[in-house]
């Protein structure tokens, strides 16, 4: 399992974001890509029905309950390509909040705009976005304002257009690359001006704190989480 | 403070002079006339209004609207409708309605592109394309109350015609299939999550300079009585994204006359956006509509 170097730890502290090249590769990546496509195809009809009713967003397509769909998604949660970084930054006390197995359709506008996910009053909140296929700069790549995770950053401004955000950086990548970021910081999905939807998986974590999530949230996959580390990560026991 | 009510409906009893369609909401003997409206407006300090066509899409159905616009030239601007079977060639219909300059735009409820957001999007194949194209050519306003299943298509059309002034009705909410019903007072009720999930397809439109949003129709989406506090957060989101200079207040008269009453609607912005400064309030209540829709000074 990879652990951050001192330089990476410094970069994380200073910027709130780390780009992890080839975080998943080879057989693992191929298996993930195939599973992503199969599960997406299976969930597509229900998504389209939800769009028409206004009960599902059209601007992004998340597979419902992915951890129950295939073990390959469970294995991502403590995957060595990023798990060591998360554990280190969370002082070895990490919980999963949710996974998002997400397809982002082509659109002239971003589906979110610049935003932080959580205020500084919540415990350290981190996300890993894994690119399932190559994501070019204009293909809905992740954008982040390095340093905006700090408490003195102030309020996230509303900017027009999206790419006029001062100090922002865009993170294009190859299939298997991942971006780890502190969700206090301002981030967005840049506009996807290509002809190809973006495929990525976003894993949401937090440093453990009491009663943050219910012990039964991941109960349906408890039989896949038998080690003490996994039981903690998936909040399967009272603490 | 001058006030413009930027979206409402008037209609006369069914007659040979003013033919219209009849339904449960607008039976043949019901009238909600311009004179009744002007009286309510005067009582509440409202100066001008946008009359949005109701009662049919054919040219003859617009006669009462045109009569009102002609009778009170400085008070009203009009929004017309286009028959569905004319969408393939809507230009003549649009121009005939707009020829006097007082019908300034057209209301549609579908964009007509692929329902699957993962499809290739070519706006020239969308059913509303010719309407947009002609609106761009003639500087007509697009008045939009679109279905949830079309929400993801709007940005493509706006990108193709960024010069068009487009006004999203009723809080930019896009009603979902099967989510429409009539409430106890015979008014439309839309069952929708708040904030709406279509926001992911819509809020990014604030980047385009000619997109406006109506702060109206609260009664149809709220689960509460006036002042509709469950919609406060969504009003604040629209304000923070679009800014007051892109927001327009409206009542959707006559549906609000009994509940909560026109006077209550005049106050609804104070209730839901209590932190506005005077300039922002003036923009929402009048300035945006006057500038974007080209209202004359009342005294003219
Ligand atoms: Fe986010």
């Amino acid at each position: 399992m990879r652990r951050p170097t001192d330089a990476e730890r410094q970069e994380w502290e200073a910027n709130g974001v780390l780009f992890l090249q080839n975080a998943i590769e080879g057989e693992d990546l191929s298996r993930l890509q195939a599973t992503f496509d199969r599960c997406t195809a299976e969930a597509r009809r229900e998504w389209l029905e939800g769009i028409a009713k206004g009960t599902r967003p059209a601007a992004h397509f998340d597979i419902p309950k992915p951890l129950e769909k295939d073990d390959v998604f469970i294995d991502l949660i403590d995957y060595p390509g990023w798990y060591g970084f998360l554990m280190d930054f969370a002082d070895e006390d990490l919980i999963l909040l949710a996974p998002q197995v997400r397809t982002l359709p082509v659109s002239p506008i971003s589906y979110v705009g610049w935003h932080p996910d959580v205020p500084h009053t919540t415990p350290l909140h981190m996300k890993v976005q894994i690119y399932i296929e190559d994501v070019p700069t204009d293909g809905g790549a992740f954008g982040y304002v390095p340093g905006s995770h700090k408490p003195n950053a102030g309020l996230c401004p509303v900017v027009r257009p999206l790419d006029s955000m001062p100090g922002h950086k865009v993170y294009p990548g190859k299939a298997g690359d991942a971006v780890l970021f502190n969700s206090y910081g301002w981030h967005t999905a840049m506009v996807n001006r290509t002809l190809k939807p973006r495929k990525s998986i976003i894993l949401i974590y937090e440093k453990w704190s009491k009663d943050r999530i219910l012990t039964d949230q991941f109960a349906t996959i408890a039989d896949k989480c038998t080690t003490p580390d996994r039981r903690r990560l998936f909040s399967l026991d009272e603490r | 403070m001058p006030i413009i009510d930027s979206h409402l409906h008037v209609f006369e009893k069914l007659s040979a002079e003013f033919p219209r369609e009849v339904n449960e909401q607008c039976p043949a003997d019901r009238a909600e006339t311009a004179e009744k409206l002007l009286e309510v407006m005067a009582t509440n300090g409202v100066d001008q209004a946008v009359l949005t066509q109701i009662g049919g899409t054919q040219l003859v159905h617009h006669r009462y609207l045109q009569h009102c616009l002609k009778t009170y030239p400085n008070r009203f601007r009009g929004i017309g409708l286009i028959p569905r079977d004319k969408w393939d060639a809507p230009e003549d219909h649009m121009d005939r309605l707009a020829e006097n300059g007082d019908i300034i735009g057209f209301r549609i409820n579908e964009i007509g592109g692929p329902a699957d957001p993962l499809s290739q999007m070519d706006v020239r194949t969308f059913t509303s394309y010719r309407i947009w194209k002609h609106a761009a050519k003639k500087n007509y306003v697009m008045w939009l109350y679109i279905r949830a299943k079309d929400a993801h298509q709007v940005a493509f059309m706006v990108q193709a015609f960024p010069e068009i002034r487009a006004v999203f009705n009723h809080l930019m909410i896009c009603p979902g299939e099967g989510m429409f019903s009539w409430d106890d007072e015979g008014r439309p009720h839309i069952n929708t999550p708040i904030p709406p999930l279509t926001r992911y397809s819509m809020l990014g439109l604030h980047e385009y300079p000619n997109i406006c949003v109506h702060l109206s129709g609260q009664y149809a989406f709220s689960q509460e009585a006036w002042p509709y506090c469950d919609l406060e957060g969504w009003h604040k989101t629209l304000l923070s994204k679009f800014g007051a200079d892109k927001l327009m207040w409206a009542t959707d008269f006559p549906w609000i006359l009994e509940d909560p009453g026109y006077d209550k609607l005049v106050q609804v912005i104070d209730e839901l956006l209590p932190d506005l400064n005077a300039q922002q309030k003036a923009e929402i209540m009048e300035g945006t509509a006057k500038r974007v829709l080209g209202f004359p000074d009342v005294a003219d």
Side-chain angles (χ1 to χ4, degrees):
Chain A
M1 183 166 68
R2 264 194 75 193
R3 286 276 175 173
T5 62
D6 285 346
E8 284 168 333
R9 201 175 285 115
Q10 266 172 24
E11 193 182 334
W12 171 255
E13 294 294 331
N15 294 337
V17 59
L18 272 183
F19 187 78
L20 307 173
Q21 207 167 13
N22 301 322
I24 181 167
E25 51 191 341
E27 287 266 300
D28 286 355
L29 177 60
S30 307
R31 194 163 71 103
L32 178 60
Q33 288 168 324
T35 309
F36 185 106
D37 289 343
R38 177 178 54 77
C39 292
T40 300
E42 286 168 7
R44 189 153 165 176
R45 178 198 288 252
E46 193 193 326
W47 174 55
L48 294 176
E49 288 168 0
I51 290 170
K53 288 187 193 142
T55 56
R56 296 281 297 273
H60 55 87
F61 171 23
D62 289 352
I63 299 171
K65 300 185 176 153
L67 301 181
E68 296 172 23
K69 300 279 166 32
D70 198 293
D71 291 357
V72 82
F73 297 126
I74 299 175
D75 293 338
L76 287 184
I77 308 303
D78 51 5
Y79 193 77
W82 45 83
Y83 185 57
F85 288 82
L86 291 157
M87 285 292 277
D88 190 276
F89 299 151
D91 303 326
E92 312 300 319
D93 208 354
L94 184 73
I95 55 169
L96 173 72
L97 295 188
Q100 294 167 332
V101 177
R102 177 165 292 181
T103 304
L104 190 65
V106 173
S107 174
I109 55 174
S110 169
Y111 75 110
V112 277
W114 293 99
H115 67 283
D117 288 325
V118 292
H120 284 269
T121 46
T122 61
L124 175 65
H125 191 279
M126 296 178 283
K127 290 185 175 179
V128 181
Q129 176 157 205
I130 306 136
Y131 292 154
I132 303 303
E133 290 180 349
D134 295 357
V135 178
T137 305
D138 61 351
F142 179 72
Y144 196 87
V145 180
S148 62
H149 65 302
K150 294 184 176 166
N152 62 1
L155 281 180
C156 180
V158 175
V159 295
R160 307 185 181 100
L162 199 70
D163 57 11
S164 65
M165 174 61 106
H168 82 278
K169 193 175 165 196
V170 181
Y171 296 83
K174 296 280 179 203
D177 291 344
V179 193
L180 164 57
F181 65 98
N182 179 324
S183 336
Y184 299 148
W186 311 337
H187 59 279
T188 188
M190 304 307 289
V191 174
N192 186 350
R193 300 181 200 282
T194 68
L195 294 174
K196 218 174 101 181
R198 184 199 80 189
K199 297 179 188 176
S200 72
I201 294 177
I202 300 156
L203 308 175
I204 310 171
Y205 302 88
E206 214 171 78
K207 183 174 163 58
W208 178 85
S209 61
K210 192 154 177 53
D211 301 328
R212 182 67 169 109
I213 67 169
L214 303 170
T215 53
D216 62 356
Q217 179 156 338
F218 299 113
T220 50
I221 54 153
D223 60 320
K224 312 278 171 57
C225 305
T226 49
T227 66
D229 282 353
R230 269 209 172 168
R231 293 193 69 80
R232 266 202 305 279
L233 182 58
F234 288 86
S235 304
L236 289 164
D237 301 317
E238 298 265 4
R239 291 210 243 172
Chain B
M1 181 181 71
I3 300 180
I4 298 175
D5 186 340
S6 63
H7 176 91
L8 52 79
H9 312 279
V10 290
F11 50 93
E12 209 8 311
K13 286 181 184 166
L14 178 63
S15 67
E17 188 185 6
F18 300 124
R20 64 168 170 87
E21 289 173 355
V22 167
N23 60 26
E24 216 174 305
Q25 200 184 16
C26 307
D29 59 353
R30 183 170 178 183
E32 301 291 352
T33 62
E35 288 70 29
K36 178 174 175 181
L37 168 68
L38 285 166
E39 200 178 309
V40 178
M41 284 168 58
T43 308
N44 290 281
V46 176
D47 305 279
Q48 293 166 307
V50 177
L51 310 182
T52 301
Q53 168 63 12
I54 188 171
T57 58
Q58 303 295 331
L59 288 175
V60 294
H61 294 146
H62 288 75
R63 272 194 208 152
Y64 184 65
L65 172 65
Q66 290 172 308
H67 166 79
C68 299
L69 294 168
K70 198 173 162 194
T71 310
Y72 306 102
N74 293 329
R75 306 302 293 276
F76 300 137
R77 288 289 176 267
I79 297 293
L81 297 174
I82 306 166
R84 196 61 190 76
D85 62 3
K86 292 216 166 88
W87 282 32
D88 287 342
E91 296 82 3
D92 181 58
H93 177 91
M94 293 167 78
D95 290 344
R96 284 174 70 178
L97 283 175
E99 65 190 359
N100 291 336
D102 43 15
I103 290 183
I104 57 170
F106 297 89
R107 189 186 205 195
I108 61 172
N109 67 357
E110 77 178 65
I111 303 298
D116 184 344
L118 297 175
S119 305
Q120 295 294 332
M121 297 285 164
D122 178 351
V123 293
R124 292 166 301 182
T125 67
F126 294 10
T127 57
S128 65
Y129 177 70
R130 296 252 315 235
I131 296 172
W132 288 83
K133 191 172 178 213
H134 196 58
K137 185 178 169 193
K138 294 294 187 81
N139 198 26
Y140 298 147
V141 181
M142 293 300 292
W143 217 244
L144 303 166
Y145 188 39
I146 60 166
R147 311 174 298 187
K149 73 173 177 191
D150 291 32
H152 60 279
Q153 304 155 18
V154 176
F156 291 91
M157 205 58 99
V158 171
Q159 181 189 41
F161 301 109
E163 69 275 36
I164 291 181
R165 294 164 290 157
V167 183
F168 286 87
N169 304 166
H170 302 333
L171 303 170
M172 212 175 209
I173 289 171
C174 306
E177 246 167 45
M179 300 296 170
F180 181 94
S181 58
W182 299 103
D183 72 10
D184 296 341
E185 285 146 282
R187 310 180 298 180
H189 180 81
I190 310 296
N191 188 12
T192 175
I194 298 291
L197 292 165
T198 47
R199 70 186 182 279
Y200 296 109
S201 301
M202 309 294 277
L203 286 176
L205 292 171
H206 77 82
E207 290 200 9
Y208 290 91
N210 295 312
I211 303 298
C212 294
V213 181
H214 273 134
L215 301 184
S216 65
Q218 292 89 354
Y219 71 88
F221 313 113
S222 177
Q223 303 294 327
E224 299 178 18
W226 183 92
Y228 317 114
C229 289
D230 54 342
L231 302 178
E232 183 175 340
W234 181 237
H235 280 69
K236 287 179 173 166
T237 299
L238 291 172
L239 177 67
S240 75
K241 290 290 181 185
F242 289 89
D245 62 340
K246 299 292 172 57
L247 301 180
M248 302 179 188
W249 167 81
T251 62
D252 206 21
F253 171 102
W255 317 128
I256 46 65
L257 274 177
E258 298 290 321
D259 173 20
Y262 196 95
D263 56 325
K264 289 285 196 296
L265 258 293
V266 178
Q267 301 161 36
V268 79
I269 300 302
D270 290 329
E271 296 288 334
L272 295 175
L273 293 172
D275 300 327
L276 292 176
N277 63 38
Q279 192 191 342
Q280 289 175 309
K281 174 88 188 293
E283 285 290 293
I284 292 173
M285 298 305 286
E286 190 236 13
T288 305
K290 186 175 174 92
R291 188 175 57 252
V292 173
L293 307 177
F295 271 89
D297 291 332
V298 187
D300 282 2

